Amino acid sequence: MDEEDTRDFNERCAQCSEVNWGLTDGGRFYCRSCHNVTERTREVVNTDFITNSRVQTISKGSKKQEKNDGGCEWYICEGFQLVLKKQVEALEALGVCPQMKDEILCNFWRCYLQKSKQAYCKRPAGETVKTLSVCESSTDVDSDPERPSLLHLLSLSESEGDLQTDCSFASSVSKVSESTSVYSGSVDGSLYLMKNQKEKLRMTMPMTLSFCYLALLWVREPITLSELLRFVVEGHIPYMNVFQHFPEKMKLCGLDLKIFCVESWPEYKEVFNKMHELAAFLDLPRFPDITESCFLHPDMLCMKYLMEANLPDELHNWTCRVVKKIGIGEVDFLTLTPGNKSTRKVKYDVLAAAVIVVVLKLLFLLDDHYEWLLSEFAEERNKNNTEGGPYFEFKKWYEVVKHSLDVEQKKLDEEKAKYLWRCEKPLFYSVKNKSKVLKRRQMVVNLQNQFGKLSGSVQRAEKPNPSSFQLSWSEENTDGSCFHGHSLKGVLQEKCGLLTVMNPDYWLCTVKLCNEKLCGHLAHYREVEFPQSYHFVLGLFSFLLRIQPSYIHDEFNKSTLVLE
Amino acid sequence: MDSFLEDYEEAPAVVVGGKRRRRRRRRSPATQAALQPLLHLPFLPPQPVSSNEHKSNFKKSKEACLSYIQDALLQKQWKRAAEFLTCYVESLEKDYSREHIGPSEMIWRIGTEILWHHSQSRMKEFSCFMEQMKTLGVKRYLKVCLEHVFHLLCNGQIDEAYQNLSLAESWRFGEQTAIQDKEIKLIQAYRGLLDYCSWSKQKKILLEHGEDGFADLAVEQEMHSYFRKAAVNLKEIIKIPGVWDVFVKCYVDILHDIVPSHELMIDFNTMLQKSKKRKKRQLGLEVIFAALDYAGWKENAKAWSCLARQVKQIVISEKHLDWIKQEWSSRKDWWPDFHFSRYLAKRNWQENKSLSHEKALVAGILLGKDCKYFKYVSHQGCKAQLKRFRMLKKFVTRHNPVYLRISGPPDCSVQR
């Protein structure tokens, strides 16, 4: 705010000769470098838009009007700014380079604010901001026919909420006052939910992660989107109840809750798509190249996932071959070029997983028959001949990995069931139900204490340290549960000096393809229609990436089509 | 009103409540018997798979949490159930008024089970928990009170149970009081039951002291006050259609003791006669004999028909003659003059032929065919050519030897 107001004032300071002016509460100019206060006061030059509107500026300073209850006026984008700040700080704590915060994300955010006309721009004269809050409900509110009804606003919100709560909230608010004034702690809460905002890419909580990922991609950090989302679920990156870190005077209530309180985990697809929309919206240039040495390159990711899936290192040769064959290792293919509709939007992690599935299918067919046959041969060979290292046995691998997978999946399911969604900071839709909310909260806390004591010595496990690998296998284990060093010789045959697949036939399992534009899927994945082994492999990567098996199936199909 | 956290404008779940109530009644045992804690496992209504898509993760995660709790409960893993319940309770902060069974009800039922069975749980904590549950929903208030009372009774805390019942009985909440009237009736019934228990305790004390020749007036007065309270409640309850066996028995017990000639005795006898249990039928016989000890019943045809029916049935089956013998032994000295005098025979015949018929049967069985009453009535009846009297004569004549067995050895009371 200071910058805009003092923009016209370019005199040098008497004391320090700097041109760095601010405004005191009394409207006088003062020098920000040496705090020298002058006698000059700001004159209001442009009176066009004073009467019926408010000059909107985003202030990073402390100059805010105090409301009666100790709160202050705040705008939704300020809230999001705080969220982003918290998130990027968490990323920094995880080891991401510090430039991301100050140079990259910050600039992306400022660019967004400017493009969406929320800040850093002169509001076109005459455009009025109809902010609706209880304190300032104007008398002609009812006469405005275009004002959307409260229920309409609530239903438009993209964030999931409890519709029942919305209805009860709506009915409670409408009982409060005669006019259907909308209630929110922020100044523009209701504005935010109005329909015409859609063209300007309205900010949502999942979109904060899109911002983060965009920045991560720019810096080419070794974090994939699925990892980022996993860190969110595990609590290493603030997302769920991040609003509890808002300063005290930023009061959250009413419609703000719909915007900032999420009740679902961020979904991969949503974050991914928004990220691309955002990149285009911000008119970003082509991103830094993703080359072969980059972590996000399929070759690298495949290696990581192969290790994590406890598969032989030798398979890496094959993944590289497939990557080359279908052309997904090219720099132009992999690098993000916003706005270019012809380039495919690459899901690096899903793609890598799909490549591995392709390779497995090439080598083992995964038709519930061939792979077990091969496994038997390998077993025979391993029994009789112990020199030269063991051959890879699919059956043994399956048993070991399935066991670990089941254990981890069970843990994950229990964690999800035990997740605590609410935080200490109480949320009320309106002042009317504040006491009710507080009472409930108190009762919940009491009950938690009472039954917590009865849970015995079972303490809630400490938040696990963030790690890139969810499953790890060590070669040092003597029980032979690590397959990294196993040989694929039992699966391949020498043919003209080149190792090729024993079975030259390869086919796509999917019987019928669908139109991606219609339903978002290239092919529909239903468990019963596919062999169990295929299903297992998909399930494994689905767990590792925390996404639906159908995503991998889609990518797999895309890749295979090219292959054929 | 503020103490109720739930908005009581929820959709009423009357059907569910009704079902549960009926179940409860069927199960409600006498307080003397061990009360089974009522197990209402909160089974999740089956969710259609398609609706899963639109639910938020919050709801899905809470549903998953519930199924973990369910599993733990079924396997009696109370610690694990408590662990998951701790995570579930925050559902209270969400509005579930559309759901069939809301989180507050779930928490109440699950919490009750856990606290009841968990080894480390104390009754004090249990009561504290129940008090909290009472504030959670106006529509459930009385139900929660009742269940709390049941648990207290199971734990032997009769006094606390009584206090809670009294408190619950005096609860008023606008139209809710009318809606939950069935629960109120149950509460009143159980309070009456507890009054009865106190009364019988007092009676016992009195009897013991009575033997010493020492009658405590205070105790007696207390006893009467319990009687009054119990009687009032129980009387009200019986008016409502339903299965009230236990309560009726208590009521009748009191009355039997204090007012054996009460008109209910007839119904009681009828009820008891129908019972498959021998003890009950014997009691029935006792009751009707006792009723007819009183002058007020002398002319009551219905009472006599009850007695006649039962006596006849016993005679025909030739089983349990000893019951009659037992009852008759204390009465054989004075009943003949009291009921079966010749004068009465004439009068009964003139005024009420049915009465005389019934009495004649009884007299014939108890005193033999040669007794005055029977001889006169049957003679008159046969003269009047009334079929039933002829049959009566045949019947009594056929079973004549019975009276000898009933009346015992012939050294005492010789029949005339």
Side-chain angles (χ1 to χ4, degrees):
Chain A
M1 180 171 98
D2 284 7
E3 280 120 22
E4 286 198 35
D5 291 337
T6 58
R7 199 178 291 149
D8 299 325
F9 189 59
N10 285 326
E11 283 187 23
R12 285 190 180 277
C13 170
Q15 273 191 272
C16 66
S17 309
E18 293 267 317
V19 184
N20 190 1
W21 296 107
L23 267 183
T24 65
D25 281 330
R28 291 172 203 270
F29 288 107
Y30 76 96
C31 176
R32 284 210 282 213
S33 312
C34 65
H35 299 283
N36 171 33
V37 183
T38 69
E39 291 303 311
R40 297 280 290 271
T41 50
R42 188 176 129 261
E43 285 145 2
V44 178
V45 176
N46 198 338
T47 55
D48 282 359
F49 45 91
I50 290 292
T51 35
N52 233 358
S53 67
R54 182 181 301 126
V55 176
Q56 271 208 351
T57 52
I58 304 302
S59 167
K60 286 194 191 132
S62 56
K63 222 171 176 204
K64 292 184 199 289
Q65 289 165 267
E66 293 286 321
K67 277 193 183 168
N68 298 341
D69 55 352
C72 68
E73 282 186 358
W74 59 279
Y75 294 85
I76 294 288
C77 50
E78 284 182 85
F80 277 117
Q81 191 165 307
L82 272 168
V83 171
L84 280 172
K85 181 162 168 279
K86 285 273 159 207
Q87 286 174 339
V88 80
E89 278 168 5
L91 281 168
E92 241 179 280
L94 286 175
V96 166
C97 67
Q99 287 96 340
M100 212 187 93
K101 175 181 168 191
D102 298 320
E103 292 172 19
I104 321 269
L105 192 60
C106 202
N107 283 326
F108 282 171
W109 177 242
R110 285 203 191 113
C111 182
Y112 168 77
L113 286 176
Q114 194 169 41
K115 296 246 180 213
S116 59
K117 301 212 171 47
Q118 290 175 72
Y120 297 107
C121 59
K122 260 207 168 67
R123 191 164 287 280
E127 184 181 294
T128 56
V129 173
K130 285 197 203 126
T131 56
L132 312 161
S133 65
V134 165
C135 301
E136 302 167 50
S137 51
S138 46
T139 47
D140 56 4
V141 144
D142 286 332
S143 59
D144 188 342
E146 281 175 5
R147 259 185 75 252
S149 75
L150 180 54
L151 275 173
H152 184 60
L153 280 178
L154 290 169
S155 60
L156 282 180
S157 167
E158 283 170 359
S159 68
E160 288 173 42
D162 188 337
L163 193 59
Q164 190 56 31
T165 324
D166 299 345
C167 291
S168 65
F169 161 55
S171 60
S172 74
V173 166
S174 56
K175 280 182 203 150
V176 167
S177 57
E178 290 310 315
S179 62
T180 51
S181 62
V182 175
Y183 195 60
S184 69
S186 64
V187 175
D188 57 342
S190 54
L191 201 71
Y192 226 78
L193 294 173
M194 277 198 242
K195 198 171 185 182
N196 55 15
Q197 290 282 326
K198 244 186 188 154
E199 299 106 47
K200 293 183 191 157
L201 202 65
R202 180 174 33 139
M203 191 67 182
T204 59
M205 277 306 289
M207 233 167 95
T208 58
L209 296 175
S210 303
F211 265 98
C212 287
Y213 185 62
L214 210 60
L216 285 169
L217 194 57
W218 187 272
V219 192
R220 292 176 296 179
E221 282 286 339
I223 298 184
T224 59
L225 181 55
S226 54
E227 262 177 332
L228 178 69
L229 296 180
R230 180 165 61 87
F231 289 153
V232 168
V233 171
E234 288 174 0
H236 304 299
I237 296 180
Y239 181 81
M240 269 310 157
N241 290 317
V242 68
F243 53 83
Q244 61 185 326
H245 299 299
F246 284 5
E248 260 305 303
K249 41 193 170 88
M250 273 171 84
K251 303 273 179 207
L252 240 90
C253 58
L255 289 169
D256 305 328
L257 301 184
K258 281 220 71 77
I259 298 169
F260 288 107
C261 299
V262 274
E263 294 197 336
S264 290
W265 300 116
E267 226 233 302
Y268 187 103
K269 228 173 198 175
E270 189 186 349
V271 176
F272 182 78
N273 290 337
K274 269 285 181 304
M275 183 200 87
H276 282 274
E277 260 185 74
L278 192 59
F281 180 72
L282 297 179
D283 261 335
L284 293 176
R286 178 178 156 124
F287 272 53
D289 285 347
I290 303 225
T291 57
E292 274 169 11
S293 54
C294 186
F295 177 79
L296 295 172
H297 192 274
D299 287 341
M300 295 286 252
L301 278 178
C302 279
M303 180 141 66
K304 177 187 186 252
Y305 292 147
L306 282 172
M307 277 180 72
E308 211 170 350
N310 202 11
L311 288 166
D313 298 335
E314 283 184 23
L315 280 172
H316 190 242
N317 300 332
W318 286 90
T319 62
C320 291
R321 278 170 79 172
V322 169
V323 164
K324 203 158 193 174
K325 186 107 192 267
I326 62 180
I328 58 172
E330 304 303 312
V331 169
D332 291 331
F333 173 81
L334 290 170
T335 311
L336 174 61
T337 316
N340 189 342
K341 298 261 162 77
S342 59
T343 56
R344 188 165 116 190
K345 296 183 194 152
V346 183
K347 297 183 182 119
Y348 305 103
D349 35 19
V350 187
L351 188 61
V355 166
I356 298 179
V357 177
V358 168
V359 167
L360 286 174
K361 198 145 195 315
L362 275 174
L363 298 181
F364 296 100
L365 286 192
L366 297 182
D367 61 348
D368 282 345
H369 174 69
Y370 190 64
E371 65 273 20
W372 305 111
L373 207 65
L374 285 176
S375 184
E376 272 172 33
F377 291 149
E379 201 182 339
E380 272 303 311
R381 182 267 169 193
N382 279 338
K383 248 192 277 179
N384 302 330
N385 193 350
T386 49
E387 58 174 64
Y391 280 15
F392 176 73
E393 290 172 50
F394 189 89
K395 179 164 172 236
K396 223 174 147 201
W397 171 82
Y398 172 83
E399 283 166 2
V400 168
V401 171
K402 183 168 198 328
H403 173 75
S404 294
L405 188 63
D406 286 345
V407 167
E408 292 301 315
Q409 185 71 57
K410 187 162 173 249
K411 257 196 255 173
L412 182 66
D413 289 339
E414 277 196 24
E415 276 306 309
K416 286 215 154 143
K418 286 203 260 186
Y419 189 74
L420 289 177
W421 298 79
R422 294 284 187 217
C423 63
E424 278 311 312
K425 186 161 178 169
L427 310 165
F428 356 96
Y429 269 92
S430 64
V431 175
K432 190 177 169 226
N433 67 353
K434 180 172 177 175
S435 60
K436 187 170 158 183
V437 167
L438 286 174
K439 262 197 211 152
R440 279 263 159 129
R441 181 76 212 157
Q442 190 54 48
M443 169 160 300
V444 167
V445 169
N446 288 343
L447 288 172
Q448 280 175 335
N449 285 338
Q450 185 170 27
F451 288 101
K453 273 188 231 142
L454 291 177
S455 307
S457 54
V458 181
Q459 292 297 329
R460 280 190 75 81
E462 288 299 313
K463 209 160 61 168
N465 285 332
S467 93
S468 199
F469 284 83
Q470 294 172 76
L471 299 171
S472 62
W473 317 90
S474 172
E475 298 243 355
E476 282 143 18
N477 279 353
T478 47
D479 58 358
S481 61
C482 179
F483 293 82
H484 295 156
H486 288 212
S487 161
L488 290 176
K489 284 215 193 89
V491 180
L492 310 167
Q493 63 189 13
E494 286 269 356
K495 200 177 186 184
C496 318
L498 288 169
L499 287 170
T500 55
V501 182
M502 282 170 97
N503 189 328
D505 295 325
Y506 174 82
W507 60 89
L508 188 63
C509 276
T510 311
V511 173
K512 185 174 140 189
L513 292 177
C514 192
N515 189 337
E516 196 164 13
K517 291 203 184 76
L518 281 178
C519 63
H521 291 283
L522 184 60
H524 292 279
Y525 175 67
R526 269 194 290 268
E527 195 183 317
V528 291
E529 292 170 9
F530 291 92
Q532 288 296 304
S533 312
Y534 180 72
H535 174 64
F536 172 73
V537 167
L538 278 194
L540 171 61
F541 287 106
S542 161
F543 171 79
L544 290 176
L545 301 183
R546 305 289 171 89
I547 54 177
Q548 295 293 315
S550 51
Y551 287 18
I552 310 179
H553 184 65
D554 276 346
E555 284 294 323
F556 165 81
N557 282 321
K558 278 186 210 160
S559 308
T560 326
L561 283 173
V562 178
L563 199 61
E564 294 198 326
Chain B
M1 229 185 250
D2 209 29
S3 64
F4 288 102
L5 295 184
E6 243 171 35
D7 186 0
Y8 68 99
E9 281 152 25
E10 328 167 331
V14 174
V15 176
V16 177
K19 279 203 191 119
R20 291 221 190 90
R21 261 199 300 285
R22 248 171 271 141
R23 223 192 292 161
R24 191 178 287 139
R25 267 193 241 141
R26 230 184 287 134
R27 282 205 213 164
S28 62
T31 39
Q32 287 96 346
L35 275 170
Q36 297 292 315
L38 298 166
L39 190 74
H40 294 287
L41 279 180
F43 289 106
L44 295 172
Q47 296 284 347
V49 177
S50 57
S51 72
N52 237 14
E53 302 287 313
H54 306 291
K55 275 190 232 158
S56 70
N57 290 156
F58 179 98
K59 277 210 179 149
K60 285 190 212 167
S61 127
K62 290 309 167 203
E63 277 175 12
C65 193
L66 261 184
S67 62
Y68 278 106
I69 295 177
Q70 212 172 290
D71 285 340
L73 286 177
L74 286 170
Q75 294 172 39
K76 302 196 200 294
Q77 293 169 326
W78 309 113
K79 280 205 179 117
R80 192 172 149 88
E83 190 191 335
F84 280 96
L85 186 63
T86 314
C87 306
Y88 181 74
V89 293
E90 61 174 12
S91 310
L92 280 178
E93 298 186 77
K94 285 284 288 175
D95 183 19
Y96 274 70
S97 44
R98 274 231 186 111
E99 301 283 324
H100 196 49
I101 302 177
S104 47
E105 188 164 351
M106 287 289 199
I107 291 171
W108 166 45
R109 295 203 183 279
I110 299 172
T112 307
E113 286 311 308
I114 295 177
L115 285 171
W116 189 247
H117 291 108
H118 197 289
S119 51
Q120 282 170 28
S121 160
R122 300 282 159 261
M123 205 54 203
K124 196 167 146 218
E125 280 170 31
F126 187 85
S127 293
C128 177
F129 172 75
M130 287 307 238
E131 291 303 323
Q132 281 187 306
M133 292 298 110
K134 284 177 194 170
T135 67
L136 265 189
V138 125
K139 290 191 174 187
R140 229 176 292 120
Y141 178 76
L142 287 177
K143 249 190 248 183
V144 179
C145 284
L146 258 178
E147 288 233 14
H148 187 197
V149 163
F150 292 156
H151 284 100
L152 285 169
L153 289 173
C154 282
N155 204 40
Q157 290 169 276
I158 313 278
D159 293 330
E160 282 93 334
Y162 193 80
Q163 274 169 23
N164 274 297
L165 280 171
S166 311
L167 209 68
E169 210 181 332
S170 60
W171 180 74
R172 299 281 176 269
F173 199 91
E175 56 177 33
Q176 281 298 318
T177 326
I179 293 173
Q180 296 184 42
D181 68 312
K182 293 204 177 84
E183 279 91 343
I184 293 198
K185 289 287 174 258
L186 271 173
I187 288 171
Q188 286 171 339
Y190 277 97
R191 200 165 83 85
L193 200 66
L194 288 184
D195 281 329
Y196 164 78
C197 288
S198 313
W199 171 83
S200 58
K201 235 190 275 173
Q202 294 296 329
K203 184 171 134 188
K204 214 166 132 189
I205 296 173
L206 203 63
L207 278 174
E208 284 166 14
H209 286 167
E211 280 166 13
D212 300 341
F214 168 65
D216 190 334
L217 194 64
V219 172
E220 209 176 318
Q221 273 182 344
E222 224 178 310
M223 199 176 95
H224 282 300
S225 86
Y226 284 128
F227 155 68
R228 252 179 282 122
K229 280 197 263 186
V232 160
N233 270 334
L234 294 170
K235 189 169 173 188
E236 283 304 307
I237 294 305
I238 297 173
K239 285 191 193 154
I240 302 165
V243 183
W244 296 106
D245 294 1
V246 173
F247 299 99
V248 169
K249 186 178 175 315
C250 297
Y251 187 40
V252 167
D253 218 10
I254 294 179
L255 292 178
H256 182 49
D257 196 82
I258 293 187
V259 194
S261 62
H262 198 273
E263 53 194 48
L264 272 182
M265 291 306 140
I266 310 282
D267 297 326
F268 195 31
N269 166 271
T270 319
M271 201 170 78
L272 288 168
Q273 267 194 57
K274 287 195 208 147
S275 168
K276 292 205 179 104
K277 294 199 179 139
R278 237 182 299 140
K279 264 198 185 152
K280 295 226 162 107
R281 293 202 299 272
Q282 184 177 14
L283 179 62
L285 192 68
E286 258 179 60
V287 162
I288 197 69
F289 262 107
L292 286 167
D293 283 341
Y294 289 84
W297 294 95
K298 278 171 87 168
E299 318 271 286
N300 189 311
K302 190 160 177 222
W304 281 106
S305 83
C306 281
L307 180 57
R309 180 176 45 218
Q310 195 156 15
V311 161
K312 186 172 176 184
Q313 200 246 338
I314 289 175
V315 162
I316 292 176
S317 68
E318 288 184 28
K319 274 195 204 161
H320 310 302
L321 284 170
D322 52 308
W323 293 355
I324 305 184
K325 183 168 174 176
Q326 194 175 330
E327 292 306 314
W328 188 236
S329 63
S330 57
R331 291 173 172 94
K332 58 188 173 189
D333 294 329
W334 58 282
W335 261 41
D337 287 329
F338 189 56
H339 287 304
F340 304 127
S341 64
R342 199 180 147 80
Y343 167 72
L344 277 173
K346 274 194 198 158
R347 212 180 85 187
N348 291 156
W349 173 254
Q350 278 166 0
E351 289 174 359
N352 189 342
K353 300 224 170 12
S354 303
L355 175 68
S356 62
H357 179 267
E358 303 302 325
K359 279 181 76 174
L361 181 93
V362 176
I365 295 297
L366 293 173
L367 299 170
K369 66 178 168 61
D370 292 323
C371 77
K372 285 184 282 188
Y373 195 93
F374 178 75
K375 262 168 93 171
Y376 180 83
V377 169
S378 65
H379 177 71
Q380 293 295 320
C382 291
K383 210 165 77 176
Q385 299 204 346
L386 292 168
K387 186 175 176 190
R388 55 182 170 151
F389 285 91
R390 276 213 299 273
M391 294 184 63
L392 172 68
K393 187 167 181 183
K394 271 196 204 152
F395 179 81
V396 172
T397 317
R398 196 174 346 135
H399 292 280
N400 197 41
V402 164
Y403 91 91
L404 289 167
R405 284 152 69 188
I406 290 173
S407 52
D411 51 8
C412 45
S413 66
V414 177
Q415 305 308 306
R416 275 177 278 131

